[in-house]
Amino acid sequence: EVSPRVGLVLKADIRPGFTGQLSAKVERVERAREQA
């Protein structure tokens, strides 16, 4: 609450046969931010 710092760790698991996973991750993170 009083700290001006923000830490972020992002892991990407890119596998053949899976598409749209990075966009889906961004959407999940944005939804989680809205709920926080």
Side-chain angles (χ1 to χ4, degrees):
E1 184 174 307
V2 296
S3 176
R5 289 176 30 180
V6 175
L8 173 66
V9 176
L10 176 63
K11 177 183 175 185
D13 184 6
I14 301 171
R15 296 173 283 167
F18 291 83
T19 59
Q21 296 297 302
L22 189 54
S23 296
K25 174 63 85 173
V26 171
E27 290 174 10
R28 289 192 299 271
V29 169
E30 288 175 345
R31 280 196 307 266
R33 278 186 38 205
E34 290 172 0
Q35 294 174 359

